[in-house]
Amino acid sequence: MRYILAIPMKAFLDILEQLYKKVLLGVTLENENHDYIFYLDPASLNQDCSTMTSLECPNPHGVQDKHQPSSANLATISVLPMCLEKHSPIGSAREIVLLQLTVIKVMITRILSVETDFRAKEKYRDVIKILLKSSDIDSKLTCMFQDSDKLLSHMAAKCLALLLYFQLREKITFSNSWIAFCQKNLSEYPENEKAGYCLWTLTFIIKEIFKDTCSQKTEILKQFLSPFDTIFEVFYSLLFSHHFESCQDTSKIINSLICSLELLELLIASRIHLKLHFTCQRILFLKPSCVLDVITWPVQAFVKRKFIIFIKKCLLWKVGEDLCQGASPVLLPPDQHLDVDILALADAILRAVDLGLLRTLSVHGKPPRFGGEEVQPTCERAPGPDHVILRAASLLIIKSLEIKFQSCTSANEMKVDLQSFMSELLTFLKPHLQPSLQSHNPCEWISRVFIEQDDDMLEAAKASLGIYLKLTRQHKATESSTQEKEMWNHHTHEYGYNPHCIFLFLLKNIGFDSSVLLDFLISSETCFLEYFVRYLKLLQKDWAIFFTICKDFDLTASKDSINICGCSSSLVQDRSSNQTELSPSAAFGRPRSVHASVSWASDFSSGSLSQLVMSKETHTTLQADSLSPRRASHSLVDYDSSDDSEAEGTDQHSANSKQISLHQEAMKKSQDIVGTGMDKKQLSLEHQSRPLVPKQSNITFSVDCDNVPKNVSEVGVSYRTLKCFEELQSAIYRLQKKNLFPYNAIPLLKLLKHIEAIYNESMNTL
């Protein structure tokens, strides 16, 4: 039975406001479920925007009172559904629709909240289910997408997204009209302007799935993505094949780019963090050149910045970290396409660089700020490049080279590629770094470019270390003369990937402060643990080369200190204070500024690279008397033992998948290892062999122009490095003893102990 009843708009609005207040407080609704449906059914506006058109309403009870209710008190809604009177003011009509959408949104939010009372939640759930069945609400909301009222269209999209997510949670099948709406609009891009609302709605739903704490995320997302897997691929092909230059309204395509990028990131994140494998999750890897081309489009700087950062996160397999509430993703079953996809992306990046990507990449735009790119005319803008772009571009190249070399077997091919791309990168960076890298050791580029971004700096250092290890294995298999060794050593410095220089510049940036290294080790936000362990294993084998590089650093520092003495005595005082030896208590003291030791010289003249090559006599002595490093039987991530050191595995998929859960796995192992009587005893015995540096060498390090120390081995870079290791070892030991260290530290302490033994042995031979 259908009927028409009139109700003043003010009375209708009052009743709706009462309902809103009840739902906002999470109060259990008292009336029959059907009594609320009419008030929640969004009414659409007439073409002349003068009246509400949803006038016919079903009588839920079959009848009884056909007259308008005399009153509606605040406690209950005791009226039957009735229709609005005609000729309502447009302002009131808009307010009613917005309030209806708000009530629906709050009601669904209450259903999803764990804090809502069970009885109230069940009542809200029943009301929403009846609303979905009794009205074509999907169509009504999508009709509002193109409304000139932006607030109304936004609220309609948000309300629809929550209703769709509710259906996913309740395992209610989507209406065919909604699926058809999305498929039609996405496949007709760019002619159809409703594609943007589809993208926003789909993105919102996936975000809600990620935020949900339920254990059925994977099943919910699978149900959601299944109808859209094919259409996503069609849409992205249309989007990236669009010619930006020929577009009259660039704002629309920019909005589409931003929305599509956010959706693409969520799709890839679901591949990493959930056990799902859809074709739409591989769009970037199947057509990487299309996404890279956007960086060269004449679009605003913030768009290029978003895309290059997105590609960087994809290459590092770090997409979606902010969606998982700080938890590291668990190790997932092997993705059969992962190795191929990552390699395809790396190859595409290197091809783009080879075709001149860096030469077309402008970094002189307005620097990014939290409030946007514009500044007040009266405010001065600090000159300089966009360091976000510099860091991202640099990391893309060094990481892509590492990935490509993992599957490469030709030493010559790797050497040519490294020389070509690193020359291109250093040339690109040269005009943006002051003072220029030309007068510095090229290996300093990582510390200079990434000084404000620790996580990226350590990723770049780890990637360069991986390149060095791969090339070293290939080089040692073919080298035959001392001259070839010298040329190889010179090559590692000339193209900025010598791991010892890179590590020393890292220590310089943090003022040789062991507390900073400790923070890096404890933090799960960087890859320092993996990088540090791999570097210490290398240091055991390359001690002679490391020691020679330290002597060259000392020699350069001495020359600079003498030159500075003739210029300013005040600078000498600053240098002396900056180069004072770190106290053992610094491990828990106040961290020093990364600029504290800027005066510690790092300048390398063009001829000083030859000094990095050891003399034959020194090399022979150290080789004969130094400790022979033991070989490892386990890889880095098999972190139970670091007694031995062997070449790391080259499986890139293993490296990527294990990297993201390194701390999680290490912490799990610590539950099995840390705390046992044997391990604590072993840890205690190992710690007793102090001090790390001989007592006769325990002097304050300072540079005095009138009295330059003769024995630089006692006060130079090698001493400061080992002193930093000693303080780090003591700090780790104290935390481990109190079970405060987040993972099993015994293997790391063994590595540091072995470095200590090598250092002491080398000191005895001098």
Side-chain angles (χ1 to χ4, degrees), residues 18 22 71-78:
Q18 295 171 32
K22 285 177 172 288
S71 65
N73 58 56
L74 295 176
T76 62
I77 298 179
S78 57

Side-chain angles (χ1 to χ4, degrees), residues 537 540 629-649:
K537 289 182 176 182
Q540 291 179 120
R630 288 165 286 182
R631 301 289 178 181
S633 58
H634 292 26
S635 67
L636 164 70
V637 185
D638 291 330
Y639 199 54
D640 290 323
S641 173
S642 57
D643 292 338
D644 303 327
S645 180
E646 190 176 19
E648 298 294 337

Side-chain angles (χ1 to χ4, degrees), residues 152-167:
L152 186 62
S153 59
H154 173 74
M155 284 296 297
K158 192 168 185 178
C159 187
L160 176 60
L162 281 171
L163 284 169
L164 293 171
Y165 180 61
F166 173 81
Q167 294 177 69

Side-chain angles (χ1 to χ4, degrees), residues 359-371:
R359 292 189 292 273
T360 61
L361 192 61
S362 175
V363 295
H364 293 289
K366 299 173 183 178
R369 291 180 172 85
F370 287 111

Side-chain angles (χ1 to χ4, degrees), residues 248-259:
Q248 296 179 350
D249 189 355
T250 57
S251 62
K252 291 183 179 179
I253 190 173
I254 288 175
N255 288 336
S256 297
L257 284 172
I258 298 302
C259 291

Side-chain angles (χ1 to χ4, degrees), residues 143-157:
C143 287
M144 299 181 194
F145 282 178
Q146 287 298 95
D147 196 284
S148 58
D149 189 330
K150 297 301 179 184
L151 178 59
L152 186 62
S153 59
H154 173 74
M155 284 296 297

Side-chain angles (χ1 to χ4, degrees), residues 63-74:
V63 188
Q64 298 190 10
D65 190 2
K66 294 185 180 181
H67 300 284
Q68 176 181 330
S70 59
S71 65
N73 58 56
L74 295 176

